[in-house]
Amino acid sequence: MGEFNEKATCGTVCLKYLLFTFNCCFWLAGLAVMAVGVWTLALKSDYISLLASGTYLATAYILVVAGVVVMVTGVLGCCATFKERRNLLRLYFILLLIIFLLEIIAGILAYIYYQQLNTELKENLKDTMSKRYHQPGHEGVTSAVDKLQQEFHCCGSNNSQDWRDSEWIRSGQAGGRVVPDSCCKTLVPGCGQRDHASNIYKVEGGCITKLETFIQEHLRVIGAVGVGIGCVQVFGMIFTCCLYRSLKLERY
């Protein structure tokens, strides 16, 4: 009986250190998950106003929430491990499961939106740019369109001709411009009055292709982070179950 308890104790110690190591890595992973979410919201959110669906934004918020919960859970995991409290281990396991589900949901949303992105942009981006650019109450769209055209060296949703049908041109607000100044290779006030290829960006596929590539690349990062951390958590849940069972055996 003593030999059994000694083996159980050795096994418990090994599991404790394994779980502690996991928690350290898990805490850092949580920081990385939160950083990806914050990066999306703070630095890459300029183009969200150009998207009809809120899925892209939702995946970012899920990652931020999951990252915060992961970091808190990591601290709880360390306490549960070294205090050998079975009730804390149960709570830790439940939190791991919740985070796992959140990250899998983020990964699934990213994948679904990845498949739908091309159709959404084709159906909505041209209308958004032509009907909301420089219109009252749509300052965010105006800023996003200008940044999009300058950053990705494109002009119009499909091509520069799209601007001819825009409310901005029709209303006379353009001041003689045929395209926004942000289409110009050299950005100076009034440069949009000439739409020759030597003056403005004329990229095949227009801004739709550029924006689609940009968002798809970022969705791949979100999906990979969500699924990758989720897979790591499976090991954490296994270690937790083993430690929980080991503590139970030691009591007999």
Side-chain angles (χ1 to χ4, degrees):
M1 188 71 175
E3 184 182 351
F4 175 78
N5 286 332
E6 186 178 344
K7 287 181 179 178
T9 303
C10 290
T12 301
V13 171
C14 291
L15 285 169
K16 282 173 63 176
Y17 281 104
L18 277 173
L19 200 53
F20 176 75
T21 304
F22 169 80
N23 281 317
C24 292
C25 296
F26 192 49
W27 192 89
L28 292 173
L31 186 62
V33 169
M34 187 175 67
V36 171
V38 171
W39 175 58
T40 301
L41 295 173
L43 300 178
K44 303 298 179 180
S45 62
D46 304 281
Y47 305 127
I48 289 174
S49 59
L50 302 178
L51 304 175
S53 169
T55 308
Y56 182 65
L57 188 60
T59 56
Y61 277 120
I62 288 173
L63 286 184
V64 172
V65 172
V68 171
V69 177
V70 163
M71 294 173 73
V72 173
T73 303
V75 175
L76 175 64
C78 289
C79 294
T81 301
F82 284 100
K83 289 188 176 182
E84 297 185 1
R85 297 282 298 275
R86 295 178 70 217
N87 57 337
L88 286 179
L89 283 173
R90 281 196 296 266
L91 178 59
Y92 177 60
F93 180 86
I94 291 169
L95 288 174
L96 280 180
L97 185 59
I98 291 171
I99 299 165
F100 176 77
L101 294 174
L102 279 175
E103 288 168 347
I104 293 300
I105 289 171
I108 291 172
L109 284 176
Y111 177 77
I112 291 172
Y113 193 54
Y114 185 94
Q115 304 299 316
Q116 298 174 344
L117 184 60
N118 181 266
T119 302
E120 179 186 313
L121 289 177
K122 284 182 178 178
E123 290 178 353
N124 298 290
L125 186 60
K126 183 177 180 180
D127 281 348
T128 299
M129 293 175 73
S130 63
K131 294 179 180 178
R132 298 182 186 178
Y133 184 77
H134 263 300
Q135 298 305 301
H138 295 294
E139 290 77 13
V141 171
T142 301
S143 175
V145 169
D146 284 336
K147 183 172 182 178
L148 174 68
Q149 295 189 142
Q150 273 293 296
E151 188 171 331
F152 294 115
H153 298 170
C154 58
C155 184
S157 55
N158 295 291
N159 52 62
S160 59
Q161 303 299 313
D162 292 336
W163 285 110
R164 295 184 177 182
D165 300 323
S166 69
E167 294 293 331
W168 175 61
I169 296 290
R170 290 177 177 176
S171 65
Q173 299 176 45
R177 297 178 180 86
V178 290
V179 294
D181 290 343
S182 56
C183 283
C184 298
K185 295 177 180 178
T186 302
L187 185 59
V188 293
C191 64
Q193 294 180 359
R194 193 167 65 92
D195 64 352
H196 191 269
S198 62
N199 184 51
I200 67 169
Y201 297 112
K202 292 202 172 187
V203 182
E204 186 178 349
C207 291
I208 285 180
T209 303
K210 296 286 187 176
L211 183 59
E212 180 183 5
T213 301
F214 165 78
I215 295 178
Q216 283 182 339
E217 287 175 353
H218 199 55
L219 285 173
R220 281 195 287 268
V221 172
I222 292 175
V225 167
V227 175
I229 300 300
C231 291
V232 171
Q233 285 172 238
V234 172
F235 291 100
M237 289 188 279
I238 292 171
F239 292 151
T240 304
C241 289
C242 291
L243 180 59
Y244 185 88
R245 179 176 172 79
S246 178
L247 292 174
K248 183 178 179 180
L249 289 172
E250 283 186 8
R251 296 190 174 188
Y252 292 99

